[in-house]
Amino acid sequence: MKNKLLITILIAIIVVVTTAVINMQIKNNMNEETKNKVYLKLYIGVRYFGGNEGVGPFDMEVKIDDKIVANDNFPTTKQTRSPDNISIELSRGTHTLSVKSNRADPQEFTTTFEMGDKEQFAQINYDYYPKDHVNYEKRGFNFEIQSDDFGWR
């Protein structure tokens, strides 16, 4: 009887220790994975430079490292107070952002950017100028990234 009790206690101790070791390994792996991740807050929109009529929303497919992060119709800043935004968890290092839109001219844009140790703020906008505008030739996508928020409200 004592031997059975001793064996049962030993098995219970082995199970508890094994479970604790496995849980520590899982936690360490998760810490390593999340340690290399930082957040990017990405604003997406259309900046309209012209009369008061606006141009309506633009379709935009936004990819980071060939993964679609946004695919929607985005309003002009004349229609809303600020562009839409999303938060994306990315690893540190170099990333590629690409945008495609059927309404834009040119229709595609690609750039690379760096993610460091801290949260970053970025905006991808299509700057729209009417054909009769003095800056019509400046129309197109632009991308900015910085360590402080852009202050959109």
Side-chain angles (χ1 to χ4, degrees):
M1 186 93 147
K2 269 188 172 179
N3 287 342
K4 283 185 180 181
L5 183 61
L6 214 56
I7 291 172
T8 303
I9 292 172
L10 254 123
I11 290 172
I13 290 172
I14 290 170
V15 167
V16 167
V17 169
T18 303
T19 302
V21 168
I22 290 171
N23 285 339
M24 282 176 41
Q25 288 174 336
I26 290 170
K27 187 177 180 181
N28 286 341
N29 287 343
M30 287 172 61
N31 284 342
E32 283 302 311
E33 288 175 15
T34 57
K35 194 187 302 180
N36 293 321
K37 302 281 185 178
V38 286
Y39 281 95
L40 173 71
K41 185 171 184 178
L42 178 64
Y43 293 96
I44 306 165
V46 177
R47 293 190 291 201
Y48 176 74
F49 301 95
N52 291 327
E53 69 276 0
V55 292
F58 268 56
D59 66 300
M60 285 193 227
E61 178 186 84
V62 182
K63 293 181 181 180
I64 294 180
D65 300 330
D66 291 324
K67 293 180 185 166
I68 296 174
V69 295
N71 189 7
D72 206 347
N73 287 314
F74 293 94
T76 65
T77 51
K78 293 254 185 201
Q79 296 169 305
T80 63
R81 297 188 96 182
S82 69
D84 291 358
N85 68 79
I86 55 175
S87 290
I88 307 158
E89 188 178 56
L90 296 171
S91 61
R92 294 183 188 130
T94 304
H95 298 275
T96 301
L97 177 133
S98 61
V99 185
K100 189 169 46 171
S101 173
N102 294 319
R103 287 199 63 197
D105 178 22
Q107 291 186 330
E108 295 184 15
F109 173 82
T110 301
T111 190
T112 58
F113 64 96
E114 292 287 325
M115 289 298 292
D117 294 336
K118 297 180 180 176
E119 179 181 34
Q120 296 286 315
F121 299 87
Q123 58 184 6
I124 180 73
N125 289 299
Y126 182 79
D127 288 343
Y128 179 88
Y129 295 91
K131 286 188 179 183
D132 60 348
H133 196 281
V134 66
N135 290 321
Y136 177 70
E137 295 301 319
K138 293 183 180 180
R139 72 193 181 284
F141 287 104
N142 67 67
F143 177 75
E144 297 175 68
I145 186 165
Q146 59 191 40
S147 57
D148 296 321
D149 205 342
F150 289 94
W152 289 106
R153 297 278 176 236

